Amino acid sequence: MSERKLILITGRTTHQGVGISSGKHLEEYQTATNVVQFSPADMQRFGLHDDDMVRLKTIYGTATVKCRSADLPEGLAFLAFGPAANQLVGGETHASGMPDSKGFEIELEVLSA
Amino acid sequence: MLYEHVVCAFCGCVCDDIDVTVEDGRITQAKNACVLGKAWFLDHGKPTDLPAVRIDGQAASLEEGIDAAASLLARSHYPIIYGLSSTSCEAQRQAVALAEVLGGCIDCCTSVCHGPSGMAVQGVGEPTCTLGEVKNRANLVIYWGSNPAESHPRHMTRYAVTSRGMFTPNGRKDRTVVLVDVRPSPSSRAADIQLTVRPGKDFELLWALRALVQGQKVEESSLADTGVTLEQLVDLAGRMKSCRFGVLFVGQGLTQSRGKHMNLTAAFLLVRDLNRTTKFALMPMRGHGNVTGVDNVLAWQTGYPFGVNFSRGCPRFNPGEFTMVDVLRRGEADAVLSVASDPVASLPNSARRRLADVPVVAIDTHDSETTRIARVVFMAATAGIGVEGTAYRMDNVPLHLSKVLPTPYPSDEEILSRLLARVKEMKP
Ligand code: SF4
């Protein structure tokens, strides 16, 4: 087991968007929102392969998700908006009404590799 | 039965060229719609057997539901009405009136998508245009912090990139497309130039661009942390100044990152500066189908686009104080009315936790995480499928939503107006 730090951005994806209409309980939405993407370099650095399980942690909460390699800069992770992302984003809005949903630090714990 | 030129109200593109086929009481085809639009038409058009009203999980009549919801809301001291971005302007109007009678807060999904853009507009103004002008004139198109290929799939083809217009007869060939983002995305394929900015460095990059556009000297060292070189930025500044008509589309990459409204203020000021030498506009990539409409309705009626409070009898605006995430996170709200939204599934944990502790009334077109915890649930007709109405496109152009299917459910507007009438009786 190992712990590492990365910067996470959460955002829209096509399958997550389809799930808003088709049903968030459906597999398409669940899969889309429960997979974190890492750069190939980070996957290699952490000894990860597609669909390995990882735990992401912030001071607000944790989320256990699958990981997948994607075209991302090293050190950056991407997770679609959804239940897992909601665990990690804090509620502080710095007098703006908007939580910090992008560009915050997460700790990575490798669960299966 | 074929309905032509139907409006899709799923995303802020609000495409009005969808041909909808209805067979045996359900939508079987939505020609011209993208993958998101197809899912919206086909899945919202499915027949359901959910009761029109549920109180504590039990089916009830509309009258009983109105009574139960009105008394929950009328009894509360600090209710908040939230959502409203996927319903008609006619329903939104009723919700504002209800917030006023309740003396509570009203906030819309804007606060968690483009609230920071609204705050920047209030500070420095909005150099804008319509998507028609973009289609007909824009020869430089910049997406900053946006991934339209996934969030607004027809934005590039219908309005901004491949579409042919009066002064852009060759479509894609007549435009230069730039993408500024923290990562390559599915939209990158459509770009001539991609600049990859480091997370949280958008403000610095926008400010340096302003300096270059104004002809000031920028040191390479000042860009060291941004991920972008001076050469790349000088090239972009040159293209921005020399284009015939430029447009900067801004996404949640700017509004949800460090800097928030200051990122947007920098973007608006950059575009203001550019208008000294050419024609340039800025447009937020609004997400939900009628989130632009709710900003407009709230602004006509209260003077403010989101995060409005009526507890002193007059509208007050204060993001961070009267916005949904803050009102919940601080444990202030003692009742919630969610309209056409799913806050339980979409808000950060620390905010949504409060939703389990207070009475929730939900009005929605389908079951959701929020309807599952709500004390009173109203099933409503989908605006644009089961009921007519008005929606605003992201460029503030209002469009008419059609009814293409019969529905057993009342409209959001009807539910809200009946709720308003009942609350008025209870709260003279
Ligand atoms: S781009 Fe948006 S409005 Fe147009 S069809 Fe797709 S989802 Fe509907």
Side-chain angles (χ1 to χ4, degrees), chain B residues 8 10-11 13-15 18 33-34 36-37 153-154:
Chain B
C8 172
F10 180 75
C11 89
C13 285
V14 193
C15 300
I18 315 297
C34 70
L36 300 178
R154 296 184 75 212

Side-chain angles (χ1 to χ4, degrees), chain B residues 235-299:
Chain B
D235 175 65
L236 180 57
R239 288 175 191 274
M240 290 174 110
K241 281 178 85 167
S242 63
C243 73
R244 188 182 59 218
F245 185 117
V247 60
L248 174 56
F249 290 106
V250 292
Q252 293 180 11
L254 284 179
T255 62
Q256 297 184 331
S257 296
R258 185 176 151 261
K260 295 174 186 167
H261 51 287
M262 293 312 294
N263 296 336
L264 273 302
T265 299
F268 277 115
L269 288 173
L270 168 65
V271 171
R272 195 162 83 178
D273 294 346
L274 283 161
N275 277 289
R276 295 204 183 103
T277 45
T278 186
K279 170 70 188 163
F280 224 101
L282 185 150
M283 199 180 298
M285 296 286 287
R286 304 309 308 273
H288 288 115
N290 198 22
V291 69
T292 308
V294 66
D295 288 9
N296 275 282
V297 170
L298 267 162

Side-chain angles (χ1 to χ4, degrees), chain A residues 60-92:
Chain A
Y60 309 105
T62 63
T64 303
V65 290
K66 283 186 181 171
C67 68
R68 218 160 274 171
S69 177
D71 187 8
L72 286 170
E74 195 173 348
L76 195 68
F78 176 85
L79 180 62
F81 289 145
N86 292 340
Q87 304 292 330
L88 302 169
V89 175
E92 176 57 64

Side-chain angles (χ1 to χ4, degrees), chain B residues 362-386:
Chain B
I363 306 174
D364 210 342
T365 56
H366 53 280
D367 253 344
S368 70
E369 298 288 310
T370 304
T371 62
R372 272 185 265 284
I373 64 138
R375 296 268 291 276
V376 185
V377 178
F378 296 92
M379 285 291 128
T382 304
I385 294 179

